[in-house]
Amino acid sequence: MKILQVNCVYNKGSTGKIMCDIDRQLAKAGIETVICYGRGEKVSKPGVYKTCGELYSKCNHLLSCFTGIMYGGCFFSTRKLIRVIQREKPDVVHVHCINGYFVNIYRLMRWLNIHHIPTVLTLHAEFMYTANCGHALDCEQWKTGCGHCPRNRQETKSIFLDRTAQSWSKMKKAFEGFGNFLTVCSVSPWLMERAKVSPILQGFHHEVVLNGIDTSVFHRKKEGSDFKDKFGLNGKKMVLHVTANFSDPIKGGRHVLALAERMKNQEVVFVVVGNRDQTIPMPDNVLDIGRVEDQSELASVYSAADVTLLTSEKETFSMVCAESLCCGTPVVGFQAGAPEGISIPEYSSFVEYGRIECLQEKLEEFLFHKKWDPEAVSHRAMGVYSSETMADQYKNLYIDLMEKTKNGKTGVSTE
């Protein structure tokens, strides 16, 4: 069996690390693997192909701002990717996050479709069925065809045109007739239920495989006490907020600041990891430590916390939730779609989005009243979110898909 995975980035960001975790686990099982990616530094490693140059990607990004079509263009890089697939002749192509202006999504999916290539499509975000935005939030126009998008400029970066309806039609056409050769895999039950009612992806076989993490890194660490010593937090309760973009309204950093203000007279310190904007004024009870690139160090910070706080408006999974629980730290947050469905109920609690008073109550309950064994939390979570569990589930999906399509496969010998 030979598996070829495609993703925007390699071994960075959540999807890049997930792809590499799958690759590593498959290799351990003696399965031949190939990786194709489009953005970032070129990696010199057998079986790993970078299919798009950075300048070419930026030119396509700029072009899309004028055309209003985010996932088109990229003629040469898409041709290069297809030629790699032709040369490698994989049994299954596994498509992850392929936004990022490195491939023409419509052309790639249509090519896999018409050549009957067994394909696993993992939905890490919503754009493969909205055909436009990564998070549809409360908008449901993706169910009927888009157009007249209220967030067109924000989501597509289009300068002049609203071509969300055309993008939707192009995406739908790319998937028409894929049949049994496509398995759509969502990273949460919430995401799967949305994908199943999408006119673009309805009717295909749908599965859920939770994102996995490297539990050799993310587990309960004794170094957590060192973190509190370093910053003088001993004797105080620690609330951790890990984010990719603190100032992004969807990620909800403003709610962290609001809670800190409401709890300023308590022995509670809010620790923020991942804030890129150092100009944001922070209250005295908020410790902003910036980005933490070392994953082992991040696991130590999780282990030091009493509670991890999620304030996103929408999430399709929540790596923060999985990482925190694997480090033995419970999670409290807003209902954001996926997190409340993928978390471990005994060690987490979620309230209606925007209800800051309710969120504070739950936070205080976990900080001052609830009792738990961090080692037990960690042990339970590592069995749920491990990369080994994820890779095994994908391996079974590959085998099932190959078996289901073996009599109808036409191969990858022609463009």
PDB file of all heavy atoms in Angstrom, residues 286-310:
ATOM      1  N   VAL A 286      -2.663  39.746  33.852  1.00  0.00           N
ATOM      2  CA  VAL A 286      -2.453  38.992  32.607  1.00  0.00           C
ATOM      3  C   VAL A 286      -0.965  38.967  32.291  1.00  0.00           C
ATOM      4  O   VAL A 286      -0.321  40.010  32.190  1.00  0.00           O
ATOM      5  CB  VAL A 286      -3.230  39.604  31.421  1.00  0.00           C
ATOM      6  CG1 VAL A 286      -2.900  38.858  30.125  1.00  0.00           C
ATOM      7  CG2 VAL A 286      -4.734  39.566  31.689  1.00  0.00           C
ATOM      8  N   LEU A 287      -0.424  37.776  32.141  1.00  0.00           N
ATOM      9  CA  LEU A 287       0.982  37.588  31.788  1.00  0.00           C
ATOM     10  C   LEU A 287       1.056  37.124  30.338  1.00  0.00           C
ATOM     11  O   LEU A 287       0.632  36.006  30.016  1.00  0.00           O
ATOM     12  CB  LEU A 287       1.629  36.553  32.713  1.00  0.00           C
ATOM     13  CG  LEU A 287       3.059  36.125  32.373  1.00  0.00           C
ATOM     14  CD1 LEU A 287       4.017  37.304  32.453  1.00  0.00           C
ATOM     15  CD2 LEU A 287       3.502  34.990  33.302  1.00  0.00           C
ATOM     16  N   ASP A 288       1.558  37.972  29.478  1.00  0.00           N
ATOM     17  CA  ASP A 288       1.684  37.664  28.052  1.00  0.00           C
ATOM     18  C   ASP A 288       3.111  37.197  27.790  1.00  0.00           C
ATOM     19  O   ASP A 288       4.050  37.986  27.836  1.00  0.00           O
ATOM     20  CB  ASP A 288       1.352  38.908  27.227  1.00  0.00           C
ATOM     21  CG  ASP A 288       1.468  38.679  25.729  1.00  0.00           C
ATOM     22  OD1 ASP A 288       1.685  37.525  25.319  1.00  0.00           O
ATOM     23  OD2 ASP A 288       1.336  39.666  24.968  1.00  0.00           O
ATOM     24  N   ILE A 289       3.281  35.903  27.490  1.00  0.00           N
ATOM     25  CA  ILE A 289       4.640  35.380  27.286  1.00  0.00           C
ATOM     26  C   ILE A 289       4.958  35.201  25.799  1.00  0.00           C
ATOM     27  O   ILE A 289       5.999  34.631  25.447  1.00  0.00           O
ATOM     28  CB  ILE A 289       4.858  34.051  28.045  1.00  0.00           C
ATOM     29  CG1 ILE A 289       3.937  32.948  27.524  1.00  0.00           C
ATOM     30  CG2 ILE A 289       4.659  34.261  29.531  1.00  0.00           C
ATOM     31  CD1 ILE A 289       4.245  31.581  28.119  1.00  0.00           C
ATOM     32  N   GLY A 290       4.070  35.680  24.922  1.00  0.00           N
ATOM     33  CA  GLY A 290       4.341  35.623  23.489  1.00  0.00           C
ATOM     34  C   GLY A 290       4.245  34.215  22.936  1.00  0.00           C
ATOM     35  O   GLY A 290       3.583  33.341  23.502  1.00  0.00           O
ATOM     36  N   ARG A 291       4.915  33.984  21.824  1.00  0.00           N
ATOM     37  CA  ARG A 291       4.876  32.671  21.180  1.00  0.00           C
ATOM     38  C   ARG A 291       5.826  31.697  21.875  1.00  0.00           C
ATOM     39  O   ARG A 291       6.897  32.086  22.335  1.00  0.00           O
ATOM     40  CB  ARG A 291       5.242  32.795  19.697  1.00  0.00           C
ATOM     41  CG  ARG A 291       4.226  33.586  18.896  1.00  0.00           C
ATOM     42  CD  ARG A 291       4.618  33.693  17.446  1.00  0.00           C
ATOM     43  NE  ARG A 291       4.707  32.403  16.783  1.00  0.00           N
ATOM     44  CZ  ARG A 291       3.665  31.695  16.363  1.00  0.00           C
ATOM     45  NH1 ARG A 291       2.441  32.163  16.561  1.00  0.00           N
ATOM     46  NH2 ARG A 291       3.826  30.542  15.749  1.00  0.00           N
ATOM     47  N   VAL A 292       5.416  30.440  21.939  1.00  0.00           N
ATOM     48  CA  VAL A 292       6.259  29.370  22.473  1.00  0.00           C
ATOM     49  C   VAL A 292       6.444  28.360  21.353  1.00  0.00           C
ATOM     50  O   VAL A 292       5.541  27.574  21.044  1.00  0.00           O
ATOM     51  CB  VAL A 292       5.609  28.705  23.705  1.00  0.00           C
ATOM     52  CG1 VAL A 292       6.474  27.550  24.193  1.00  0.00           C
ATOM     53  CG2 VAL A 292       5.400  29.725  24.818  1.00  0.00           C
ATOM     54  N   GLU A 293       7.592  28.393  20.712  1.00  0.00           N
ATOM     55  CA  GLU A 293       7.833  27.537  19.553  1.00  0.00           C
ATOM     56  C   GLU A 293       8.151  26.097  19.932  1.00  0.00           C
ATOM     57  O   GLU A 293       7.786  25.163  19.222  1.00  0.00           O
ATOM     58  CB  GLU A 293       8.990  28.109  18.709  1.00  0.00           C
ATOM     59  CG  GLU A 293       8.747  29.519  18.181  1.00  0.00           C
ATOM     60  CD  GLU A 293       7.657  29.582  17.139  1.00  0.00           C
ATOM     61  OE1 GLU A 293       7.213  28.501  16.661  1.00  0.00           O
ATOM     62  OE2 GLU A 293       7.228  30.700  16.800  1.00  0.00           O
ATOM     63  N   ASP A 294       8.836  25.912  21.055  1.00  0.00           N
ATOM     64  CA  ASP A 294       9.216  24.577  21.492  1.00  0.00           C
ATOM     65  C   ASP A 294       8.004  23.846  22.072  1.00  0.00           C
ATOM     66  O   ASP A 294       7.407  24.297  23.061  1.00  0.00           O
ATOM     67  CB  ASP A 294      10.323  24.660  22.544  1.00  0.00           C
ATOM     68  CG  ASP A 294      10.832  23.299  22.964  1.00  0.00           C
ATOM     69  OD1 ASP A 294      10.222  22.708  23.877  1.00  0.00           O
ATOM     70  OD2 ASP A 294      11.809  22.816  22.366  1.00  0.00           O
ATOM     71  N   GLN A 295       7.623  22.737  21.453  1.00  0.00           N
ATOM     72  CA  GLN A 295       6.414  22.024  21.861  1.00  0.00           C
ATOM     73  C   GLN A 295       6.532  21.429  23.266  1.00  0.00           C
ATOM     74  O   GLN A 295       5.556  21.403  24.020  1.00  0.00           O
ATOM     75  CB  GLN A 295       6.098  20.923  20.848  1.00  0.00           C
ATOM     76  CG  GLN A 295       5.786  21.445  19.457  1.00  0.00           C
ATOM     77  CD  GLN A 295       4.460  22.178  19.395  1.00  0.00           C
ATOM     78  OE1 GLN A 295       3.398  21.578  19.393  1.00  0.00           O
ATOM     79  NE2 GLN A 295       4.517  23.502  19.353  1.00  0.00           N
ATOM     80  N   SER A 296       7.715  20.974  23.637  1.00  0.00           N
ATOM     81  CA  SER A 296       7.899  20.431  24.973  1.00  0.00           C
ATOM     82  C   SER A 296       7.728  21.528  26.030  1.00  0.00           C
ATOM     83  O   SER A 296       7.149  21.303  27.098  1.00  0.00           O
ATOM     84  CB  SER A 296       9.284  19.788  25.089  1.00  0.00           C
ATOM     85  OG  SER A 296       9.455  19.212  26.359  1.00  0.00           O
ATOM     86  N   GLU A 297       8.231  22.718  25.709  1.00  0.00           N
ATOM     87  CA  GLU A 297       8.057  23.855  26.622  1.00  0.00           C
ATOM     88  C   GLU A 297       6.584  24.219  26.744  1.00  0.00           C
ATOM     89  O   GLU A 297       6.093  24.535  27.838  1.00  0.00           O
ATOM     90  CB  GLU A 297       8.861  25.052  26.108  1.00  0.00           C
ATOM     91  CG  GLU A 297       8.786  26.271  27.008  1.00  0.00           C
ATOM     92  CD  GLU A 297       9.555  27.458  26.460  1.00  0.00           C
ATOM     93  OE1 GLU A 297      10.307  27.279  25.485  1.00  0.00           O
ATOM     94  OE2 GLU A 297       9.376  28.565  27.009  1.00  0.00           O
ATOM     95  N   LEU A 298       5.867  24.160  25.616  1.00  0.00           N
ATOM     96  CA  LEU A 298       4.432  24.457  25.660  1.00  0.00           C
ATOM     97  C   LEU A 298       3.698  23.444  26.530  1.00  0.00           C
ATOM     98  O   LEU A 298       2.801  23.811  27.302  1.00  0.00           O
ATOM     99  CB  LEU A 298       3.862  24.450  24.240  1.00  0.00           C
ATOM    100  CG  LEU A 298       2.358  24.715  24.097  1.00  0.00           C
ATOM    101  CD1 LEU A 298       1.990  26.069  24.694  1.00  0.00           C
ATOM    102  CD2 LEU A 298       1.939  24.633  22.631  1.00  0.00           C
ATOM    103  N   ALA A 299       4.083  22.177  26.443  1.00  0.00           N
ATOM    104  CA  ALA A 299       3.467  21.147  27.286  1.00  0.00           C
ATOM    105  C   ALA A 299       3.707  21.435  28.763  1.00  0.00           C
ATOM    106  O   ALA A 299       2.839  21.190  29.610  1.00  0.00           O
ATOM    107  CB  ALA A 299       4.010  19.777  26.911  1.00  0.00           C
ATOM    108  N   SER A 300       4.867  21.994  29.095  1.00  0.00           N
ATOM    109  CA  SER A 300       5.157  22.362  30.481  1.00  0.00           C
ATOM    110  C   SER A 300       4.251  23.498  30.950  1.00  0.00           C
ATOM    111  O   SER A 300       3.814  23.524  32.108  1.00  0.00           O
ATOM    112  CB  SER A 300       6.628  22.773  30.617  1.00  0.00           C
ATOM    113  OG  SER A 300       7.484  21.689  30.343  1.00  0.00           O
ATOM    114  N   VAL A 301       3.958  24.432  30.032  1.00  0.00           N
ATOM    115  CA  VAL A 301       3.060  25.535  30.385  1.00  0.00           C
ATOM    116  C   VAL A 301       1.648  25.004  30.618  1.00  0.00           C
ATOM    117  O   VAL A 301       0.971  25.393  31.584  1.00  0.00           O
ATOM    118  CB  VAL A 301       3.058  26.610  29.280  1.00  0.00           C
ATOM    119  CG1 VAL A 301       2.130  27.759  29.667  1.00  0.00           C
ATOM    120  CG2 VAL A 301       4.463  27.145  29.037  1.00  0.00           C
ATOM    121  N   TYR A 302       1.190  24.113  29.738  1.00  0.00           N
ATOM    122  CA  TYR A 302      -0.120  23.479  29.970  1.00  0.00           C
ATOM    123  C   TYR A 302      -0.145  22.785  31.332  1.00  0.00           C
ATOM    124  O   TYR A 302      -1.134  22.874  32.071  1.00  0.00           O
ATOM    125  CB  TYR A 302      -0.393  22.421  28.893  1.00  0.00           C
ATOM    126  CG  TYR A 302      -0.953  22.922  27.581  1.00  0.00           C
ATOM    127  CD1 TYR A 302      -0.269  22.706  26.378  1.00  0.00           C
ATOM    128  CD2 TYR A 302      -2.190  23.557  27.521  1.00  0.00           C
ATOM    129  CE1 TYR A 302      -0.785  23.123  25.165  1.00  0.00           C
ATOM    130  CE2 TYR A 302      -2.718  23.977  26.309  1.00  0.00           C
ATOM    131  CZ  TYR A 302      -2.019  23.763  25.130  1.00  0.00           C
ATOM    132  OH  TYR A 302      -2.541  24.174  23.937  1.00  0.00           O
ATOM    133  N   SER A 303       0.926  22.074  31.649  1.00  0.00           N
ATOM    134  CA  SER A 303       0.985  21.311  32.897  1.00  0.00           C
ATOM    135  C   SER A 303       0.978  22.222  34.115  1.00  0.00           C
ATOM    136  O   SER A 303       0.533  21.819  35.202  1.00  0.00           O
ATOM    137  CB  SER A 303       2.242  20.432  32.913  1.00  0.00           C
ATOM    138  OG  SER A 303       2.228  19.492  31.853  1.00  0.00           O
ATOM    139  N   ALA A 304       1.459  23.441  33.949  1.00  0.00           N
ATOM    140  CA  ALA A 304       1.487  24.392  35.066  1.00  0.00           C
ATOM    141  C   ALA A 304       0.125  24.994  35.352  1.00  0.00           C
ATOM    142  O   ALA A 304      -0.155  25.424  36.474  1.00  0.00           O
ATOM    143  CB  ALA A 304       2.484  25.512  34.764  1.00  0.00           C
ATOM    144  N   ALA A 305      -0.738  25.028  34.348  1.00  0.00           N
ATOM    145  CA  ALA A 305      -2.026  25.713  34.470  1.00  0.00           C
ATOM    146  C   ALA A 305      -3.012  24.906  35.311  1.00  0.00           C
ATOM    147  O   ALA A 305      -2.959  23.682  35.376  1.00  0.00           O
ATOM    148  CB  ALA A 305      -2.604  25.978  33.084  1.00  0.00           C
ATOM    149  N   ASP A 306      -3.939  25.638  35.927  1.00  0.00           N
ATOM    150  CA  ASP A 306      -5.044  24.999  36.652  1.00  0.00           C
ATOM    151  C   ASP A 306      -6.217  24.744  35.714  1.00  0.00           C
ATOM    152  O   ASP A 306      -6.927  23.749  35.863  1.00  0.00           O
ATOM    153  CB  ASP A 306      -5.485  25.882  37.818  1.00  0.00           C
ATOM    154  CG  ASP A 306      -4.395  26.024  38.865  1.00  0.00           C
ATOM    155  OD1 ASP A 306      -4.169  25.053  39.604  1.00  0.00           O
ATOM    156  OD2 ASP A 306      -3.757  27.093  38.932  1.00  0.00           O
ATOM    157  N   VAL A 307      -6.425  25.658  34.770  1.00  0.00           N
ATOM    158  CA  VAL A 307      -7.503  25.542  33.781  1.00  0.00           C
ATOM    159  C   VAL A 307      -7.019  26.180  32.484  1.00  0.00           C
ATOM    160  O   VAL A 307      -6.306  27.189  32.516  1.00  0.00           O
ATOM    161  CB  VAL A 307      -8.802  26.250  34.234  1.00  0.00           C
ATOM    162  CG1 VAL A 307      -9.890  26.139  33.161  1.00  0.00           C
ATOM    163  CG2 VAL A 307      -9.321  25.679  35.544  1.00  0.00           C
ATOM    164  N   THR A 308      -7.425  25.603  31.355  1.00  0.00           N
ATOM    165  CA  THR A 308      -7.190  26.235  30.056  1.00  0.00           C
ATOM    166  C   THR A 308      -8.499  26.845  29.569  1.00  0.00           C
ATOM    167  O   THR A 308      -9.554  26.207  29.655  1.00  0.00           O
ATOM    168  CB  THR A 308      -6.664  25.210  29.034  1.00  0.00           C
ATOM    169  OG1 THR A 308      -5.360  24.776  29.453  1.00  0.00           O
ATOM    170  CG2 THR A 308      -6.553  25.821  27.647  1.00  0.00           C
ATOM    171  N   LEU A 309      -8.406  28.063  29.054  1.00  0.00           N
ATOM    172  CA  LEU A 309      -9.582  28.838  28.673  1.00  0.00           C
ATOM    173  C   LEU A 309      -9.683  28.953  27.156  1.00  0.00           C
ATOM    174  O   LEU A 309      -8.753  29.397  26.485  1.00  0.00           O
ATOM    175  CB  LEU A 309      -9.483  30.240  29.296  1.00  0.00           C
ATOM    176  CG  LEU A 309     -10.562  31.256  28.935  1.00  0.00           C
ATOM    177  CD1 LEU A 309     -11.923  30.805  29.477  1.00  0.00           C
ATOM    178  CD2 LEU A 309     -10.197  32.632  29.510  1.00  0.00           C
ATOM    179  N   LEU A 310     -10.846  28.550  26.608  1.00  0.00           N
ATOM    180  CA  LEU A 310     -11.132  28.703  25.177  1.00  0.00           C
ATOM    181  C   LEU A 310     -12.180  29.786  24.984  1.00  0.00           C
ATOM    182  O   LEU A 310     -13.241  29.737  25.604  1.00  0.00           O
ATOM    183  CB  LEU A 310     -11.666  27.389  24.586  1.00  0.00           C
ATOM    184  CG  LEU A 310     -10.765  26.155  24.636  1.00  0.00           C
ATOM    185  CD1 LEU A 310     -11.506  24.965  24.042  1.00  0.00           C
ATOM    186  CD2 LEU A 310      -9.486  26.403  23.869  1.00  0.00           C
TER     187      LEU A 310
END
